Amino acid sequence: TSITSSKIQVNGVHLHYQQTGEGSHAVLLLPGMLGSGQTDFGPQLKSMNKQLFTVVAWDPRGYGKSIPPSRDFPPDFFERDAKDAVDLMQALKFKKFSLLGWSDGGITALIAAARYPNLIHKLVVWGANASVTQEDVRIYNGIRDVSKWSEKVKKPLEELYGHKYFAETCEAWVDGISRFAENADGNICQQLLPDIKCPTFIIHGEKDPLVPQAHAEYIHKHIKGSRLLLMPEGKHNLHLRFANDFNREVENFLR
């Protein structure tokens, strides 16, 4: 089945999304920082079971092809993304759907699942965190300067955004997410985790250099009945690097 691209107006912005498959189970893929469906979910859009699933990958406002507006990071940017994501799926006429969230998209998915329990069927998150520690802030500052990124990671984003927007948005992201460290316990959405009632699957790469494993364990501990899978060789992008294993585990969970 082909992958279609389109835009739809949601909450005053034109959100870009890709869609494939004709299954009865709708799934929304939520990308990470600076991410888009195209850069973050190639193997999922291409290979997830198109008979079982209708797969939608969105570009959050200010990312990918959902520009304008330019991306900004007000204190509630995760909440805003969660509302945009859910409203996008409703605008596309999906009554109930599952969320697959990576990194920032995982945080967004946690918030959406807690806030809209009647709409979310199942939840999968990987590389996500519910709080920001001082150690996390140190890690984020380590990726602030995009000129130090590996060519492989940098190139698709520079092609998508141009160097200036890419570099400035990354710096703004580091400032935006680091602000959560000033909250009590560095809280982003810890208080919402007990409100997540849908079946939840947390995946974590044991070699993730960006998100320490304690974050995955915290989320697992505070979402009742959730399942945690640790991938010994997995890094932050385990769904790209080990796409076949990842897709198989996730499809089995979603069935």
Side-chain angles (χ1 to χ4, degrees), residues 15-16 31-32 35-36 58-64 66-67 71 81 84:
L15 294 176
H16 176 262
S36 64
W58 80 310
D59 299 358
R61 62 171 73 201
Y63 284 164
S66 296
I67 304 173
R71 182 69 182 186
D81 283 349
D84 281 349

Side-chain angles (χ1 to χ4, degrees), residues 39 145-160 163 166 237:
T39 54
D145 179 357
V146 299
S147 69
K148 294 180 179 154
W149 288 27
S150 79
E151 209 44 51
K152 190 165 161 257
V153 179
K154 193 165 63 176
K155 194 165 177 270
L157 292 168
E158 283 196 325
E159 283 170 4
L160 183 60
H163 179 77
F166 169 44
N237 65 345

Side-chain angles (χ1 to χ4, degrees), residues 1-203:
T1 346
S2 61
I3 299 169
T4 60
S5 279
S6 196
K7 277 190 164 185
I8 189 165
Q9 188 164 346
V10 176
N11 299 329
V13 294
H14 289 90
L15 294 176
H16 176 262
Y17 66 95
Q18 291 169 285
Q19 185 172 329
T20 187
E22 60 269 331
S24 59
H25 188 155
V27 173
L28 177 65
L29 306 174
L30 297 95
M33 174 260 279
L34 278 160
S36 64
Q38 167 197 335
T39 54
D40 286 14
F41 295 117
Q44 284 69 46
L45 285 163
K46 186 166 157 258
S47 304
M48 276 185 76
N49 186 317
K50 318 244 161 150
Q51 280 69 52
L52 288 180
F53 304 108
T54 297
V55 181
V56 178
W58 80 310
D59 299 358
R61 62 171 73 201
Y63 284 164
K65 293 178 181 163
S66 296
I67 304 173
S70 291
R71 182 69 182 186
D72 61 350
F73 299 94
D76 67 342
F77 73 90
F78 284 119
E79 295 274 355
R80 181 181 68 182
D81 283 349
K83 184 169 174 19
D84 281 349
V86 167
D87 291 352
L88 166 74
M89 292 300 276
Q90 294 207 287
L92 295 176
K93 304 281 187 277
F94 295 111
K95 289 188 175 59
K96 207 165 177 175
F97 44 91
S98 292
L99 300 174
L100 270 63
W102 177 38
S103 199
D104 270 19
I107 300 172
T108 302
L110 291 168
I111 294 170
R115 295 260 186 246
Y116 307 95
N118 300 334
L119 300 175
I120 310 307
H121 184 39
K122 292 185 177 183
L123 172 65
V124 183
V125 295
W126 65 106
N129 46 301
S131 64
V132 174
T133 66
Q134 289 306 321
E135 165 69 0
D136 295 328
V137 172
R138 192 188 62 72
I139 294 170
Y140 301 149
N141 277 306
I143 62 166
R144 177 186 287 276
D145 179 357
V146 299
S147 69
K148 294 180 179 154
W149 288 27
S150 79
E151 209 44 51
K152 190 165 161 257
V153 179
K154 193 165 63 176
K155 194 165 177 270
L157 292 168
E158 283 196 325
E159 283 170 4
L160 183 60
Y161 294 116
H163 179 77
K164 184 173 185 287
Y165 187 90
F166 169 44
E168 287 174 0
T169 306
C170 182
E171 288 204 24
W173 175 83
V174 171
D175 293 339
I177 196 156
S178 296
R179 257 181 243 121
F180 289 103
E182 295 158 21
N183 295 345
D185 293 331
N187 181 44
I188 303 175
C189 61
Q190 290 171 317
Q191 77 291 357
L192 293 176
L193 299 181
D195 296 341
I196 296 174
K197 302 292 185 245
C198 64
T200 300
F201 186 20
I202 302 138
I203 306 174

